[in-house]
Amino acid sequence: MAEKKTMLTSRLYGIRDLRLEQMPIPQPGPGEVLLKIATVGTCGSDVHYYLEGGIGDAIVTDPITMGHEFSAWIVDLGEGVEGLEPGQLCAVEPAIPCGKCEYCLHGHPNICPDVRFCGTPPIDGVFAEYAVMPAENCFPLPAGFSPGDGALLEPLGIAIHTVDLSHLKIGQTVAVLGAGPVGLLTAAVAKAAGAGAIYVTEPIAHRRQFALDYCADAVFNPETEDVVTAIMEATGGRGVDVAFEAAGAETTPDQAARVARPGGKVIVIGIPSDDRMLMTASVVRRKGLTIKLVRRMKHTYPRAIRLVQSGMVDVARLATHTFPLERIQEAFELVAGYKDGVLRAMIEIETDMD
Amino acid sequence: MAEKKTMLTSRLYGIRDLRLEQMPIPQPGPGEVLLKIATVGTCGSDVHYYLEGGIGDAIVTDPITMGHEFSAWIVDLGEGVEGLEPGQLCAVEPAIPCGKCEYCLHGHPNICPDVRFCGTPPIDGVFAEYAVMPAENCFPLPAGFSPGDGALLEPLGIAIHTVDLSHLKIGQTVAVLGAGPVGLLTAAVAKAAGAGAIYVTEPIAHRRQFALDYCADAVFNPETEDVVTAIMEATGGRGVDVAFEAAGAETTPDQAARVARPGGKVIVIGIPSDDRMLMTASVVRRKGLTIKLVRRMKHTYPRAIRLVQSGMVDVARLATHTFPLERIQEAFELVAGYKDGVLRAMIEIETDMD
Amino acid sequence: MAEKKTMLTSRLYGIRDLRLEQMPIPQPGPGEVLLKIATVGTCGSDVHYYLEGGIGDAIVTDPITMGHEFSAWIVDLGEGVEGLEPGQLCAVEPAIPCGKCEYCLHGHPNICPDVRFCGTPPIDGVFAEYAVMPAENCFPLPAGFSPGDGALLEPLGIAIHTVDLSHLKIGQTVAVLGAGPVGLLTAAVAKAAGAGAIYVTEPIAHRRQFALDYCADAVFNPETEDVVTAIMEATGGRGVDVAFEAAGAETTPDQAARVARPGGKVIVIGIPSDDRMLMTASVVRRKGLTIKLVRRMKHTYPRAIRLVQSGMVDVARLATHTFPLERIQEAFELVAGYKDGVLRAMIEIETDMD
Amino acid sequence: MAEKKTMLTSRLYGIRDLRLEQMPIPQPGPGEVLLKIATVGTCGSDVHYYLEGGIGDAIVTDPITMGHEFSAWIVDLGEGVEGLEPGQLCAVEPAIPCGKCEYCLHGHPNICPDVRFCGTPPIDGVFAEYAVMPAENCFPLPAGFSPGDGALLEPLGIAIHTVDLSHLKIGQTVAVLGAGPVGLLTAAVAKAAGAGAIYVTEPIAHRRQFALDYCADAVFNPETEDVVTAIMEATGGRGVDVAFEAAGAETTPDQAARVARPGGKVIVIGIPSDDRMLMTASVVRRKGLTIKLVRRMKHTYPRAIRLVQSGMVDVARLATHTFPLERIQEAFELVAGYKDGVLRAMIEIETDMD
């Protein structure tokens, strides 16, 4: 990479306004590594920025490079970096917590108030040829992992953290409301964790079919049936041990509460557009429910690698489409429109370092 | 009690329509005891029935005897009852769970779907001279407990269960939103459990003062100040480890979420009139909160007795007024109107069995 | 079953002294069912009684019918029994907790001090043609379950409870010390619960091979290698997240402590002959370990049925040998001698009710 | 402190061989502070080194400065230190975890394998006039804290961590085996956390009396009575919810197991001389106990400060004796001999910085 000084990046200038630009290649400081980006997934939060220009009070005001689900090749090591070598393909954790606050010190970097997160304003992400990251964010991948697999360890990590929060016991039953990539991965992780039955609700037909093929025991369409009644019937009137809300729709948190059994759990992953979480008070109260909210993930990469390596979770199937960086806007339009059976559209930047 | 065949009861016929009536004295079956009612508290849920004729879909259609926070004297033992003796003053647990469902067997009778609960339609309660209850619901009180203390072990049990749910650690900080009797008892139990600081919000002046005298480190008035800002400032911007929502107002669940620290807990005890629990999604999500709903209580009587006996919690102070059964409507009007500094108005039916 | 008044039973009179005797067929009382015994496993605790005449202070003084891992056909219903029908094949929970003590009420019937347990002195077990059990102990088996599968749900339940106690997270690593039936089932349940790697130690060659074929990632022989060193090397020096002690040997609890990672868990299932649990204090202390002891199981039958039905755990492979009741002594000699690759020898009493 | 280049230290050369020596005053690096030592407690582990020359495989081979329970005045700030000021009196956490290992990142620095710990070979401690520590180890003390109070926050932190591990619920009962300073503080913290009854066993008469005066409901002498029977009787045959082993004697772990109720917890803090933890297998197994080992503490200083400030725990009473650094050997002889009612002998080095 010797002489090259600039790199291609995709910059978001506003709603549906992505531009390709040359930017300076960053240099790694002490404890950091220079990465050649391999593959980057187009996450739902990226789509929020692309379509709406923000998520809640995180607004895109200045042009920004999005992208945070990624794998990369190590190119250069900053001062003092040990245990990594140029040429290694890594999955890269996109969050850089402060490491000093109460939450970091207590082992919860996912709720660090001072976290810097790739591709979240004002921090640039990795829809670009190169990036610099702390060495400890890089997890070298075993043989057999493709760059796409590596990129998908990020949403898989979310799913692992989500199932961790549920304290699911082997044989317990589960509902997943919403069969987008994170909902599907949550279902797959729940299956790998021994879920006794998995019920999935999803309005899009091909996603319902995917869920069935992937790991669901039954799927329901919220546009044509009362999914609460359907899941209650499927469970003999009892409800599920854990209901995962992965849709971010206006009604899904309350549905999740309604399909959970007394004493059950509701785990909310979805990000609603209207920034409201509304449930029926008497429903949640009479069942004495526990509701947990998913904030990113913590400490999941080593386990994510093991799950994929052992075949317990198949992430590759979620990568339904691939595009080069130059055609990233096409990828976003595809994902935003739920077209062509898309789940994750992957941006391939460097597929082979040799 | 030999010859007497009927007893005085207070029957709710409709909104604000309480009538004194003679009813037959019930007879204890096997495993049951006949109780002479000592003292009964006027709980907020009774007030809901009195003022609104129901709570959610639990509607008063037929006349009913309310009342469930009570102490009583054992009068007669049904067949096979052991370990109790006539003349004992007992605190009496008002819930009669089925004992056979999954939740009962797993140790969670508070979420038993088939529970019968004194004074909840269609089960008659104890604003009456006598009642029959299962022997295992009766907890004999040690010397030194008054009938009023015994009655107050019921809301104290709610408060213990509430603090149990929070897994409060010694030295952690707490907010209690709402200083009605259950909010105050929750604050007192949190204090006894080692809470490092307790912040209470409450619109009624005498309740704020009571909270301060009782156990709060600071109190705030939601009608004149922004309580979220006030608690955030009081905690140096961090928020509290546990926020207890004990008001049942429209805005308090969201306030609870806002004053909880990242990774903190929100425990909801309040019963809102509009049956909605609404929180701001980005607030609960970015902090990765855990929200738990309080459904009655479980297994708390022995511990409640110990807390009062040891002086760790002073329940007697909450019994601000007492009335005979004949004047129960006066008591309800007092409580419903938050008049005269009332917290709990106690109905005294039999103060001394000698 | 009309006229028959007596039934064949196998009675233990003393060490290695099993006698076939006719005993009266019991009659079901209210809430009970009369069962025709289908298949009964020969558990390690039975072997303790057979070889040593007791377990700790539970001594066989009078002749007793052993046997508690069993399936049975419902023959007759006592008064008031609902939800069961004659002819159903059931897995039957062998423990009859008191249902009234603190531990039963709190959902922990496995530690009920007043439990009656089939085949534990002085309660007769089910190496017999008939038995009477409470209706709630009977779990009707779905189509496709053999009587042998049903009997094996009991040790599977132990394994489920064991893994429950560990709070194993998906992807975590596990060691199982001892590959007898319970150790193997624990390994299988851990696998089904998403264990990332499973290391098994076992001195008997065919059991090591079985473990490898069944679910282990690696097996080690404690008679020829230092298993602590071997597991530490296999885990890159870290140790496992959870170490299950399923051998009951003198040295295995300490080995379990040594192979657990800092902050890890040791779950002890094995029953040692010398009634001592000894660990090195500085090892358990410096790693800040948590040690949990397995006492029977609780609430596991519905989940055990689901695990077998879904194919997540294959119990049938453990039933290596079968014998009729008349040849039960042969079965015990086989099991006690670890001969012929035996894991569980099953006593088949009634294979088909038609 | 300008010109002074050397400082007085107390160096352990071997068993009972403490020598006063001049050593160079260390200089703070980036992120570190130079501290003038205020008060240092003589911990039981120091006494192990003093009397036996080591703890398990941690052996004193070269001369070492012991001492780790301490308060200190900030003298000078290294590069980049913010939030601290010269002249502040601080409690100082003696452990310097690596901050990079799995356990540190997961929030468990107390089990960091690469921790450096003041006064544990080969790291020098603070029986000296000065020391350098990382800024984040320093917790400025509010007005009203004496140097001795500050030093005692270290053993108080151990006690807080100990009670944290027990998940004690308000009103639960507790036994503490051993009334040395850590046992007493554990009892005091359990009391502040709402323990319903506290039973203490201790062979030394004045410590039993201290425990009674301090917070115990009853005390027992293991040299003259069967403490297991005594505690079982005191709890009506039930046993305690949590048994804290704080004696490090050969028999106390088994006693702790015997006095715990079924399903109860045993928390082991004591450090036995023979490095064995032995319990009766059938006792721990039949009750299904959970045993946890205390390894130092984590994240306790802010809470420890709050407990002392609020008056919930009185640490000052434990400081029974004080000595200047020059007379440290006298202090150790006093403590080692359990003389004169000693609990903690405090070494006062700099009582006032003005």
Side-chain angles (χ1 to χ4, degrees):
Chain A
M1 49 134 282
E3 294 95 306
K4 209 175 150 189
K5 290 284 191 299
T6 66
M7 62 179 184
L8 187 66
T9 66
S10 160
R11 307 279 287 171
L12 181 70
Y13 272 74
I15 291 176
R16 280 183 153 144
D17 180 6
L18 277 175
R19 305 184 195 171
L20 294 169
E21 286 190 350
Q22 289 290 323
M23 298 276 286
I25 296 176
Q27 295 305 311
E32 295 181 332
V33 295
L34 177 64
L35 298 167
K36 183 83 191 275
I37 307 305
T39 294
V40 192
T42 50
C43 175
S45 61
D46 296 325
V47 178
H48 270 280
Y49 289 118
Y50 178 75
L51 288 182
E52 300 156 25
I55 298 178
D57 55 11
I59 310 288
V60 175
T61 48
D62 296 308
I64 185 172
T65 304
M66 297 191 297
H68 61 273
E69 293 182 7
F70 72 116
S71 60
W73 310 89
I74 292 180
V75 170
D76 207 2
L77 306 180
E79 192 192 321
V81 172
E82 289 177 11
L84 295 173
E85 286 174 34
Q88 285 179 316
L89 177 63
C90 296
V92 188
E93 171 137 30
I96 308 173
C98 80
K100 295 175 181 304
C101 72
E102 172 184 356
Y103 309 106
C104 284
L105 293 177
H106 286 230
H108 312 300
N110 58 314
I111 50 172
C112 169
D114 297 321
V115 69
R116 290 180 301 134
F117 195 89
C118 287
T120 291
I123 310 294
D124 277 335
V126 294
F127 288 128
E129 286 181 290
Y130 292 93
V132 158
M133 290 293 285
E136 59 263 33
N137 283 48
C138 300
F139 295 84
L141 293 167
F145 276 71
S146 73
D149 295 343
L152 285 160
L153 297 187
E154 204 272 350
L156 175 58
I158 302 285
I160 291 172
H161 179 51
T162 299
V163 175
D164 279 355
L165 286 179
S166 76
H167 294 292
L168 183 72
K169 286 183 185 176
I170 188 166
Q172 287 191 320
T173 56
V174 155
V176 180
L177 283 65
V182 168
L184 288 166
L185 285 170
T186 298
V189 171
K191 184 81 176 177
I198 298 175
Y199 308 101
V200 173
T201 71
E202 168 60 46
I204 301 175
H206 74 77
R207 292 186 170 189
R208 282 199 305 279
Q209 189 57 49
F210 191 101
L212 261 188
D213 297 345
Y214 199 45
C215 63
D217 291 273
V219 294
F220 304 103
N221 180 354
E223 294 187 344
T224 62
E225 54 193 323
D226 176 340
V227 296
V228 172
T229 301
I231 292 175
M232 291 310 282
E233 278 174 10
T235 57
R238 176 184 180 268
V240 293
D241 292 293
V242 183
F244 295 103
E245 194 285 316
E250 194 181 342
T251 54
T252 40
D254 194 53
Q255 287 171 358
R258 288 179 184 277
V259 302
R261 67 160 170 87
K265 291 187 188 109
V266 172
I267 313 291
V268 179
I269 330 166
I271 301 179
S273 294
D274 65 356
D275 208 12
R276 288 153 45 99
M277 184 179 79
L278 176 63
M279 299 179 183
T280 306
S282 57
V283 167
V284 291
R285 188 173 62 82
R286 284 186 183 146
K287 294 199 281 193
L289 296 184
T290 295
I291 303 159
K292 293 188 181 186
L293 286 295
V294 179
R295 176 57 166 171
R296 292 173 179 155
M297 71 181 115
K298 56 180 177 184
H299 317 308
T300 52
Y301 273 84
R303 293 194 281 143
I305 289 172
R306 236 178 273 151
L307 291 197
V308 171
Q309 192 172 19
S310 68
M312 280 194 274
V313 176
D314 175 4
V315 289
R317 280 173 75 176
L318 296 179
T320 51
H321 298 72
T322 58
F323 295 84
L325 185 54
E326 289 78 2
R327 290 173 52 203
I328 186 170
Q329 185 134 3
E330 238 175 280
F332 272 100
E333 286 297 321
L334 180 83
V335 171
Y338 302 102
K339 292 179 204 155
D340 292 346
V342 68
L343 284 165
R344 264 302 183 264
M346 310 301 286
I347 308 301
E348 286 185 353
I349 297 177
E350 176 70 68
T351 55
D352 193 346
M353 279 296 279
D354 295 330
Chain B
M1 52 134 279
E3 295 94 304
K4 211 177 147 188
K5 290 285 191 303
T6 65
M7 61 180 184
L8 186 66
T9 65
S10 160
R11 307 279 287 170
L12 182 70
Y13 271 75
I15 290 175
R16 280 183 152 144
D17 181 4
L18 277 175
R19 305 183 195 171
L20 293 169
E21 286 190 350
Q22 288 290 326
M23 298 275 289
I25 295 176
Q27 294 306 312
E32 295 180 334
V33 296
L34 177 63
L35 297 167
K36 184 83 190 277
I37 307 305
T39 294
V40 191
T42 50
C43 174
S45 61
D46 297 325
V47 178
H48 271 280
Y49 289 119
Y50 178 76
L51 288 182
E52 299 156 24
I55 299 177
D57 56 11
I59 309 287
V60 175
T61 49
D62 296 308
I64 186 173
T65 305
M66 300 191 296
H68 63 271
E69 292 183 7
F70 71 117
S71 60
W73 310 89
I74 293 179
V75 170
D76 206 3
L77 306 180
E79 193 191 321
V81 172
E82 289 176 12
L84 295 174
E85 284 176 35
Q88 286 179 315
L89 176 64
C90 296
V92 189
E93 170 137 30
I96 308 173
C98 79
K100 295 174 181 306
C101 72
E102 173 184 356
Y103 310 107
C104 284
L105 293 176
H106 285 229
H108 311 301
N110 58 315
I111 50 172
C112 170
D114 298 320
V115 69
R116 291 180 301 133
F117 195 90
C118 286
T120 292
I123 310 294
D124 275 334
V126 294
F127 287 129
E129 285 180 290
Y130 293 93
V132 158
M133 290 292 287
E136 59 263 33
N137 284 49
C138 301
F139 295 84
L141 292 168
F145 276 71
S146 73
D149 295 343
L152 286 161
L153 297 187
E154 205 271 350
L156 176 58
I158 302 286
I160 291 173
H161 179 51
T162 298
V163 175
D164 279 356
L165 286 178
S166 76
H167 294 292
L168 182 72
K169 285 183 186 175
I170 187 167
Q172 286 190 322
T173 55
V174 156
V176 180
L177 283 65
V182 169
L184 288 166
L185 285 170
T186 298
V189 172
K191 184 81 176 178
I198 297 176
Y199 307 101
V200 173
T201 71
E202 167 60 46
I204 300 176
H206 74 77
R207 292 186 171 190
R208 283 198 305 279
Q209 187 57 49
F210 192 101
L212 261 187
D213 296 344
Y214 200 44
C215 62
D217 291 274
V219 294
F220 303 103
N221 180 354
E223 294 188 344
T224 61
E225 53 193 325
D226 176 341
V227 296
V228 172
T229 301
I231 292 175
M232 291 310 282
E233 277 174 11
T235 57
R238 174 182 180 269
V240 293
D241 292 293
V242 182
F244 295 102
E245 193 286 315
E250 195 181 340
T251 52
T252 39
D254 193 54
Q255 286 171 358
R258 287 178 185 277
V259 301
R261 67 160 170 88
K265 291 187 188 111
V266 172
I267 313 291
V268 179
I269 331 166
I271 301 179
S273 294
D274 64 357
D275 208 13
R276 288 152 46 98
M277 185 180 77
L278 176 64
M279 298 179 184
T280 305
S282 57
V283 167
V284 291
R285 187 173 64 80
R286 285 188 181 144
K287 293 199 283 194
L289 296 184
T290 294
I291 303 159
K292 293 188 180 186
L293 285 296
V294 179
R295 176 56 165 170
R296 291 171 180 159
M297 71 182 116
K298 57 181 176 183
H299 318 308
T300 52
Y301 273 84
R303 292 194 281 144
I305 289 172
R306 235 177 276 150
L307 290 198
V308 172
Q309 193 171 20
S310 68
M312 280 194 274
V313 176
D314 175 5
V315 289
R317 280 172 74 176
L318 295 179
T320 50
H321 296 73
T322 58
F323 294 84
L325 183 54
E326 289 78 2
R327 290 172 53 203
I328 185 170
Q329 185 133 2
E330 238 174 283
F332 271 101
E333 287 296 321
L334 180 82
V335 172
Y338 302 101
K339 292 178 205 156
D340 291 345
V342 69
L343 284 165
R344 264 302 182 268
M346 311 301 286
I347 308 301
E348 286 186 352
I349 298 177
E350 176 71 67
T351 55
D352 193 346
M353 278 296 278
D354 295 328
Chain C
M1 49 135 283
E3 293 94 309
K4 211 176 147 189
K5 290 285 190 303
T6 65
M7 63 179 182
L8 187 66
T9 65
S10 160
R11 306 280 286 171
L12 182 69
Y13 271 75
I15 291 175
R16 281 185 152 142
D17 181 4
L18 277 174
R19 304 183 195 172
L20 294 168
E21 285 190 352
Q22 289 290 324
M23 298 276 288
I25 295 175
Q27 295 305 312
E32 294 181 332
V33 296
L34 178 63
L35 298 167
K36 184 82 189 277
I37 308 304
T39 294
V40 192
T42 50
C43 174
S45 61
D46 297 325
V47 177
H48 270 280
Y49 289 118
Y50 178 75
L51 288 181
E52 300 156 24
I55 297 178
D57 55 11
I59 310 288
V60 176
T61 49
D62 297 309
I64 186 173
T65 304
M66 299 191 296
H68 62 271
E69 292 183 8
F70 71 115
S71 60
W73 310 89
I74 292 179
V75 170
D76 206 3
L77 306 180
E79 193 192 321
V81 173
E82 289 177 11
L84 294 174
E85 286 176 34
Q88 286 179 315
L89 176 63
C90 296
V92 189
E93 171 136 32
I96 308 173
C98 79
K100 296 175 181 303
C101 72
E102 172 184 357
Y103 309 107
C104 284
L105 293 176
H106 286 230
H108 311 301
N110 59 313
I111 50 172
C112 169
D114 297 321
V115 69
R116 290 179 301 133
F117 196 90
C118 287
T120 291
I123 310 295
D124 276 335
V126 295
F127 288 129
E129 285 180 291
Y130 293 93
V132 158
M133 290 293 286
E136 60 262 32
N137 284 49
C138 301
F139 296 85
L141 293 168
F145 276 71
S146 73
D149 295 343
L152 286 161
L153 297 187
E154 204 270 350
L156 176 57
I158 302 285
I160 291 172
H161 179 51
T162 299
V163 174
D164 279 355
L165 286 179
S166 77
H167 294 292
L168 183 72
K169 287 183 184 175
I170 188 166
Q172 287 190 321
T173 56
V174 155
V176 181
L177 283 65
V182 168
L184 288 166
L185 285 169
T186 297
V189 172
K191 184 82 177 176
I198 298 176
Y199 308 101
V200 174
T201 71
E202 167 61 47
I204 300 175
H206 73 77
R207 293 186 169 188
R208 283 198 306 278
Q209 188 58 47
F210 191 101
L212 260 187
D213 297 345
Y214 199 43
C215 62
D217 290 272
V219 294
F220 304 103
N221 181 354
E223 293 188 344
T224 62
E225 54 193 324
D226 176 341
V227 297
V228 172
T229 301
I231 292 175
M232 291 309 283
E233 277 174 11
T235 57
R238 175 183 181 270
V240 294
D241 292 294
V242 183
F244 295 103
E245 193 285 317
E250 195 182 340
T251 53
T252 40
D254 193 53
Q255 286 171 357
R258 288 179 184 276
V259 302
R261 67 160 169 87
K265 292 189 188 108
V266 172
I267 314 291
V268 178
I269 332 165
I271 302 179
S273 294
D274 64 356
D275 208 14
R276 287 152 45 100
M277 184 178 78
L278 176 63
M279 298 179 183
T280 305
S282 56
V283 167
V284 292
R285 187 173 62 80
R286 285 188 181 144
K287 293 199 282 195
L289 296 184
T290 294
I291 303 159
K292 293 188 181 186
L293 285 295
V294 179
R295 176 56 165 170
R296 292 172 179 155
M297 71 182 114
K298 56 180 177 185
H299 318 307
T300 52
Y301 273 84
R303 294 194 280 144
I305 288 172
R306 236 178 273 151
L307 291 198
V308 172
Q309 194 172 17
S310 68
M312 280 194 274
V313 175
D314 175 6
V315 290
R317 281 172 75 176
L318 295 179
T320 51
H321 297 73
T322 58
F323 295 84
L325 185 54
E326 289 78 2
R327 290 171 54 203
I328 186 171
Q329 185 133 5
E330 240 175 280
F332 271 99
E333 286 297 321
L334 180 82
V335 171
Y338 303 101
K339 293 178 205 156
D340 293 345
V342 69
L343 284 165
R344 264 301 183 265
M346 310 301 285
I347 308 300
E348 287 186 353
I349 297 176
E350 176 72 67
T351 56
D352 193 348
M353 278 296 279
D354 297 327
Chain D
M1 51 134 279
E3 294 95 303
K4 211 176 148 191
K5 290 284 190 302
T6 65
M7 62 180 181
L8 186 66
T9 67
S10 159
R11 308 279 287 170
L12 182 69
Y13 272 74
I15 291 176
R16 281 184 152 142
D17 181 5
L18 277 174
R19 305 184 195 170
L20 293 169
E21 287 189 350
Q22 289 289 327
M23 299 275 290
I25 295 176
Q27 294 305 313
E32 295 181 333
V33 296
L34 177 64
L35 298 167
K36 183 83 190 278
I37 307 304
T39 294
V40 192
T42 51
C43 173
S45 62
D46 297 325
V47 177
H48 271 280
Y49 289 118
Y50 178 76
L51 288 181
E52 300 156 24
I55 298 178
D57 55 11
I59 308 288
V60 176
T61 49
D62 296 309
I64 186 171
T65 304
M66 299 192 296
H68 62 272
E69 293 182 8
F70 71 116
S71 60
W73 310 89
I74 292 180
V75 170
D76 206 3
L77 307 180
E79 191 192 321
V81 173
E82 289 176 11
L84 294 174
E85 285 175 35
Q88 285 180 316
L89 176 64
C90 295
V92 189
E93 171 137 32
I96 308 173
C98 79
K100 295 173 181 306
C101 73
E102 172 184 356
Y103 309 106
C104 284
L105 293 176
H106 286 230
H108 311 301
N110 58 315
I111 51 172
C112 168
D114 298 320
V115 68
R116 290 180 301 133
F117 195 89
C118 287
T120 292
I123 310 295
D124 275 333
V126 294
F127 287 128
E129 285 180 290
Y130 292 93
V132 158
M133 289 293 287
E136 59 262 34
N137 284 49
C138 300
F139 295 84
L141 293 168
F145 277 71
S146 73
D149 295 342
L152 285 161
L153 297 187
E154 205 271 351
L156 176 58
I158 302 285
I160 291 173
H161 179 51
T162 298
V163 175
D164 279 356
L165 286 178
S166 76
H167 294 291
L168 183 73
K169 286 183 184 174
I170 188 166
Q172 287 191 321
T173 55
V174 156
V176 180
L177 283 65
V182 168
L184 288 166
L185 285 170
T186 298
V189 172
K191 184 81 177 177
I198 298 175
Y199 307 101
V200 173
T201 71
E202 167 60 46
I204 300 176
H206 74 78
R207 293 186 169 189
R208 283 199 305 280
Q209 189 57 48
F210 191 101
L212 261 187
D213 296 344
Y214 199 45
C215 62
D217 291 273
V219 294
F220 304 103
N221 180 354
E223 293 188 344
T224 62
E225 54 193 323
D226 176 342
V227 296
V228 172
T229 301
I231 291 175
M232 292 310 282
E233 278 175 10
T235 57
R238 175 184 181 268
V240 293
D241 293 293
V242 182
F244 296 102
E245 193 285 317
E250 194 182 340
T251 53
T252 40
D254 194 54
Q255 286 172 358
R258 288 179 184 276
V259 301
R261 66 160 172 87
K265 290 186 189 113
V266 172
I267 313 291
V268 179
I269 331 164
I271 302 179
S273 294
D274 64 357
D275 208 13
R276 288 152 45 98
M277 184 179 78
L278 176 64
M279 297 179 183
T280 305
S282 57
V283 167
V284 290
R285 186 173 63 79
R286 285 187 181 145
K287 293 199 282 195
L289 296 184
T290 294
I291 303 159
K292 294 188 180 185
L293 285 294
V294 179
R295 175 56 164 171
R296 292 172 180 155
M297 71 181 115
K298 55 180 177 185
H299 317 307
T300 52
Y301 274 84
R303 293 194 281 143
I305 289 172
R306 235 177 275 151
L307 291 198
V308 172
Q309 193 172 20
S310 69
M312 281 194 273
V313 175
D314 175 5
V315 290
R317 280 172 75 176
L318 296 178
T320 50
H321 297 71
T322 58
F323 295 84
L325 184 54
E326 288 79 0
R327 289 171 54 203
I328 186 170
Q329 186 133 2
E330 238 175 284
F332 271 101
E333 286 298 320
L334 179 84
V335 172
Y338 303 101
K339 291 178 206 156
D340 292 345
V342 69
L343 284 165
R344 264 301 184 264
M346 311 301 285
I347 308 301
E348 287 186 352
I349 297 176
E350 176 71 67
T351 55
D352 194 347
M353 278 297 276
D354 296 328

